[in-house]
């Protein structure tokens, strides 16, 4: 009987203790209650639960228990007082004290003062999460192919994509945006005129009227900048950005490629269009004169490398890159035997132009290839990608010689120097770097551009370097000292292509669709071939 009573008492104490903790838990999760209430409820709950557990375990027995030395039954059975009566009474008082605290909490004066309970609730609102900067990454692509298929038809990208909008399935694009020229900052308001010095007080004559100064001085705002002068146009010109320029070996012709997909051949001496040499299925990227002076090799985002006849544009052969993707850059060796193409999948393909076949597919880059150069002896190639990685290849054996991170952002416009041991690269980090390819160390830097350096060209004598940038300027540099010789700024937006003419002048093309000619020593340029009307 006593044992059953102890169990009931233990159960009651456990219930009271749990009730105390239930009252204490919301206070800990919400606004803080009075410190005294927190301690009281905590102590009462702990002691009630402890007392209940002790009763349940039989560690606080009743006031009497059986004497183990006496018989269990009969008249001689003895009951000896045992246990701890005072501790038992104290334990029995704990549940009553906890109940009183709960009742007092429901009707106590602190409820009205907002120290706890429901009257002191606060609503916390989470701050709005900031939007992540930049575009979302593109999904990872499947493994790269090892051999281009001759008859494969690559998927055509969307038309009218700007030349540096590098997209590859395998990685989010890191390239520089060139879809539109950088917008100039709005004209700043002219600084407020300084207040004139205080004038001494003057006595006003009876018949004199005093002019009252306006309450606030008028704002002086700088006039808007003048609109750029209207550019000349010609119906035979390119309808979109000029992204490639090449000068023929005899110096009399220019070949241009544009995002309008067209390849055009121009007469420098007669200042006229000779012919539309051909059209790619997607934007044209490269157009190169072959050493024979009779043919040209062109490439574009459609993944095709096309051998064309200069006399009439007849297609002589089509090299299809297949699943390797669009051709971002194309270069031809000086002897005309090999070509190297860089693709938006990161693949580098070496072509045997004499046999019309593929020599090697080098899937070395993790990102879209943005620059290609071939050494003067035709045995090595330097490629750069839009993550700033540079790679040197043995294109005869088809193996990588070295890889290094040359730029903080995309590498563009690679060119070899005549000695074959040095090369120059431009970049989205706004720098131009001269590399020693024996030690793979940077030995000179050309600083000055404030935008992506998108294309480079070397003069015929190898002493001057031409560069164009998305900052809208073209520059000529001394290759030996790194000093800037001239800067040209037509104010028409980003420039994408550059070449040296036979007379040493600099030719540029850009987003304004025109081909311009700039004097070698600096000064104002002229529009050699205007773009088509918009």
């Amino acid at each position: 009987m006593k044992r059953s009573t102890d169990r009931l008492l233990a159960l009651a104490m456990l219930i009271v203790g749990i009730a105390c903790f239930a009252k204490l838990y919301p206070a800990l999760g919400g606004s803080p209650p009075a410190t005294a209430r927190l301690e009281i409820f905590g102590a009462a709950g702990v002691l009630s639960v402890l007392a209940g557990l002790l009763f349940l375990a039989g560690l606080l027995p009743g006031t009497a228990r059986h004497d183990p030395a006496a018989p269990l039954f009969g008249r001689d059975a003895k009951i000896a007082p045992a246990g701890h009566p005072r501790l038992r009474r104290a334990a029995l008082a704990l549940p009553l004290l906890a109940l009183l605290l709960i009742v007092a909490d429901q009707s106590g004066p602190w409820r009205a003062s907002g120290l706890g309970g429901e009257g002191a609730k606060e609503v916390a609102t989470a701050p709005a999460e900031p939007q992540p900067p930049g575009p979302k990454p593109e999904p990872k692509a499947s493994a790269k192919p090892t051999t281009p298929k001759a008859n494969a038809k690559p998927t055509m990208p969307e038309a009218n994509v700007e030349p540096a909008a590098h997209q590859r399935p395998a990685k989010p694009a890191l390239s520089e945006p060139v879809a539109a020229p950088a917008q100039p900052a709005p004209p700043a308001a002219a600084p407020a005129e300084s207040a004139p010095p205080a004038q001494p007080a003057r006595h006003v004559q009876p018949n004199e009227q005093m002019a009252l100064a306006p309450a606030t001085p008028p704002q002086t705002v700088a006039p808007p900048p003048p609109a750029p002068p209207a550019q000349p146009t010609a119906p035979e010109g390119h309808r979109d950005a000029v992204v490639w320029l090449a000068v023929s070996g005899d110096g009399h012709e220019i070949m241009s490629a544009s995002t309008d997909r067209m390849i055009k051949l121009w007469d420098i001496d007669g200042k006229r269009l000779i012919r539309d040499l051909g059209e790619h299925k997607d934007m044209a990227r490269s157009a190169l004169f072959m050493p024979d002076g009779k043919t040209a090799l062109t490439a574009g985002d459609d993944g095709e490398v096309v051998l064309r006849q200069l006399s009439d544009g007849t297609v002589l052969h089509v090299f299809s890159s297949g699943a390797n993707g669009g051709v971002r850059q194309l270069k031809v060796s000086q002897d005309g035997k090999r070509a190297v193409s860089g693709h938006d999948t990161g693949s580098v393909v070496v072509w045997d132009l004499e046999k019309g076949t593929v020599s090697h597919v080098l899937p070395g880059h993790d990102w879209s290839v943005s620059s290609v150069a071939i050494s003067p002896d035709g045995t090595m190639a330097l490629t750069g990608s839009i993550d700033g990685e540079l790679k040197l290849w043995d294109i005869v054996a088809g193996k990588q010689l070295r890889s290094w991170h040359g730029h903080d952002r995309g590498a563009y416009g690679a060119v070899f120097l005549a000695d074959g041991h040095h090369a120059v690269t431009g970049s989205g980090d706004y720098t131009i770097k001269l590399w020693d390819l024996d030690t793979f160390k940077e030995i000179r830097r050309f600083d000055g551009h404030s935008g992506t350096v998108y294309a480079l060209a070397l003069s015929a004598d190898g002493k001057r370097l031409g560069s164009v940038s998305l900052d809208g300027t073209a520059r000529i540099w001394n290759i030996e000292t790194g000093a800037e010789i001239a800067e040209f700024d037509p104010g028409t937006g980003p420039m994408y292509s550059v070449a040296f003419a036979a007379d040493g002048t600099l030719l540029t093309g850009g987003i304004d669709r025109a081909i311009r000619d700039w004097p070698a020593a600096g000064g104002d340029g002229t529009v050699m071939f205007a773009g088509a009307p918009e």
Side-chain angles (χ1 to χ4, degrees):
M1 181 66 181
K2 290 290 185 182
R3 195 66 177 170
S4 299
T5 303
D6 287 347
R7 289 175 179 172
L8 291 176
L9 288 173
L11 181 60
M13 292 179 185
L14 288 174
I15 292 174
V16 172
I18 292 172
C20 290
F21 281 122
K23 194 68 178 176
L24 182 65
Y25 179 76
L28 294 177
S31 59
T35 304
R37 295 181 59 221
L38 186 67
E39 295 175 352
I40 291 173
F41 274 100
V46 170
L47 291 176
S48 296
V49 172
L50 180 60
L53 292 174
L54 291 175
F55 269 100
L56 192 62
L59 297 179
L60 292 177
T63 56
R65 65 178 176 84
H66 175 72
D67 183 359
L72 293 177
F73 303 102
R75 188 172 301 206
D76 295 330
K78 295 183 179 179
I79 300 298
H84 305 278
R86 293 181 180 178
L87 183 59
R88 181 183 179 88
R89 284 194 295 270
L92 289 174
L94 284 176
L96 297 177
L97 177 60
L99 287 174
L100 289 176
L101 287 175
I102 294 175
V103 173
D105 174 67
Q106 297 298 319
S107 59
W110 45 76
R111 285 185 59 83
S113 61
L115 295 177
E118 297 181 358
K121 288 184 179 178
E122 294 180 2
V123 179
T125 57
E129 296 183 0
Q131 295 296 325
K136 295 181 179 178
E138 298 178 5
K140 183 90 174 177
S142 58
K144 297 173 184 173
T146 57
T147 304
K149 298 179 181 179
N151 299 322
K153 296 295 183 181
T155 303
M156 289 176 52
E158 295 182 5
N160 299 325
V161 180
E162 291 302 328
H166 296 283
Q167 299 174 356
R168 84 171 275 216
K171 296 279 185 177
L174 293 182
S175 62
E176 299 302 312
V178 300
Q183 297 296 328
E193 298 180 359
S194 58
Q199 299 294 331
R202 184 172 63 88
H203 178 69
V204 180
Q205 299 298 326
N207 296 328
E208 184 180 0
Q209 295 181 351
M210 178 177 287
L212 297 177
T216 57
Q219 294 288 334
T220 303
V221 180
Q231 301 299 320
T233 59
E236 69 273 12
H238 280 295
R239 301 186 308 275
D240 212 333
V242 178
V243 297
W244 189 273
L245 291 173
V247 179
S248 62
D250 60 12
H252 296 299
E253 296 174 344
I254 297 175
M255 190 161 44
S256 60
S258 168
T259 56
D260 66 5
R261 308 183 185 185
M262 295 299 301
I263 307 294
K264 291 180 180 285
L265 186 64
W266 308 88
D267 179 0
I268 294 179
D269 302 323
K271 300 291 190 297
R272 66 182 182 87
L273 175 69
I274 299 175
R275 68 181 53 86
D276 287 337
L277 200 59
E279 183 176 10
H280 278 270
K281 300 181 183 70
D282 205 332
M283 73 167 65
R285 293 276 185 172
S286 304
L288 303 163
F289 288 97
M290 295 294 290
D292 60 10
K294 299 178 181 179
T295 55
L297 201 64
T298 69
D301 278 2
D302 55 8
E304 294 182 346
V305 178
V306 182
L307 184 65
R308 305 175 187 271
Q309 193 164 284
L310 287 174
S311 60
D312 55 7
T314 300
V315 174
L316 302 177
H317 190 79
V318 176
F319 303 84
S320 177
S321 61
N324 288 290
V327 181
R328 298 296 189 181
Q329 285 276 295
L330 176 71
K331 292 293 176 64
V332 176
S333 62
Q334 291 184 4
D335 59 10
K337 294 181 179 180
R338 296 185 182 90
V340 177
S341 57
H343 298 260
D344 55 11
T345 59
S347 297
V348 176
V349 180
V350 182
W351 306 89
D352 187 327
L353 298 180
E354 293 182 319
K355 297 179 180 179
T357 59
V358 174
S359 298
H360 308 287
V361 176
L362 310 171
H365 283 286
D366 294 328
W367 302 82
S368 175
V369 178
S370 50
S371 58
V372 174
I374 298 180
S375 62
D377 63 3
T379 62
M380 295 187 298
L382 177 67
T383 60
S385 62
I386 60 173
D387 62 350
E389 184 180 43
L390 299 173
K391 290 181 180 289
L392 186 66
W393 307 90
D394 180 338
I395 58 176
V396 178
K399 65 179 182 179
Q400 178 179 295
L401 300 176
R402 183 66 180 262
S403 177
W404 73 102
H405 195 80
H407 291 279
D408 294 334
R409 302 189 72 179
Y412 301 93
V415 292
F416 269 91
L417 300 193
D419 62 6
H421 295 277
H422 297 84
V424 186
T425 56
S427 175
D429 60 15
Y430 307 168
T431 65
I432 302 170
K433 295 181 180 181
L434 175 62
W435 302 95
D436 184 335
L437 297 181
D438 295 327
T439 62
F440 300 98
K441 301 294 185 182
E442 175 190 338
I443 60 176
R444 188 166 300 125
R445 185 174 297 195
F446 306 80
D447 287 319
H449 281 294
S450 59
T452 295
V453 181
Y454 197 72
L456 300 173
L458 198 64
S459 63
D461 58 8
K463 296 181 178 180
R464 294 177 302 145
L465 179 71
S467 64
V468 290
S469 168
L470 303 191
D471 63 10
T473 68
R475 300 171 193 246
I476 299 177
W477 311 85
N478 185 318
I479 198 71
E480 295 180 354
T481 65
E484 182 181 298
I485 298 173
E487 176 185 351
F488 312 106
D489 185 0
T492 54
M495 294 185 180
Y496 304 133
S497 53
V498 62
F500 277 98
D503 61 359
T505 60
L506 195 69
L507 305 174
T508 63
I511 200 171
D512 65 344
R513 312 180 307 284
I515 300 172
R516 297 174 183 271
D517 184 21
W518 303 91
D524 294 333
T526 59
V527 175
M528 180 177 287
F529 302 109
E534 292 185 358

